[in-house]
Amino acid sequence: MLKKEPSFNVLGSALESCSHEPLTGFFRDGHCNTCAEDQGSHTVCAVMTAEFLAYSKYVGNDLSTPRPEFGFAGLKPGDQWCLCAARFLQAHDEGCAPKVNLAATHRSALDIVRLPVLEQNAFDAKT
């Protein structure tokens, strides 16, 4: 049985939900929870942008094309998704990182991405 790590976000409080529509997370529970078996560290709650989706497809991880055989409708700009921390950092380094919902980003993301980098890309729902 998989053992989840404690559900805390990068801000030090309880991990908030990332998305239930589309349903995301390593555990498909709507949260960016993780465990030792989550080799990709799906811990960054990313807010998709057209630029990031195009970049992700270009580097071999097509998140926008529907895959009905897996019950996946494809992501579109504005959708939130538990993204691999290393992919987020790669996109950041290339200048096309998606926005980040810090309250829904698991603290384990900090093992790969420094907090200032996440904060620099923080999603502001007011804009």
Side-chain angles (χ1 to χ4, degrees):
M1 180 168 184
L2 302 178
K3 183 177 183 225
K4 288 182 190 176
E5 291 184 17
S7 297
F8 291 100
N9 63 34
V10 296
L11 304 173
S13 55
L15 185 66
E16 293 184 10
S17 174
C18 182
S19 177
H20 288 277
E21 188 58 44
L23 187 59
T24 191
F26 180 78
F27 292 95
R28 290 299 187 257
D29 62 0
H31 292 74
C32 296
N33 283 304
T34 191
C35 64
E37 291 78 10
D38 179 11
Q39 298 298 308
S41 186
H42 296 80
T43 52
V44 176
C45 182
V47 182
M48 297 293 109
T49 63
E51 180 182 33
F52 173 75
L53 289 169
Y55 169 79
S56 189
K57 186 174 185 176
Y58 173 76
V59 296
N61 187 23
D62 184 358
L63 297 172
S64 56
T65 300
R67 298 291 307 265
E69 67 273 26
F70 298 116
F72 182 68
L75 300 177
K76 60 189 179 311
D79 285 344
Q80 293 193 143
W81 191 252
C82 293
L83 187 63
C84 293
R87 176 68 70 191
F88 170 81
L89 185 58
Q90 180 186 22
H92 169 78
D93 290 346
E94 295 289 333
C96 57
K99 293 299 182 183
V100 177
N101 179 339
L102 296 174
T105 295
H106 197 281
R107 71 177 176 191
S108 291
L110 297 174
D111 294 341
I112 299 169
V113 184
R114 293 179 306 110
L115 183 58
V117 171
L118 293 169
E119 290 174 332
Q120 176 184 343
N121 293 283
F123 175 71
D124 183 358
K126 296 177 224 139
T127 59

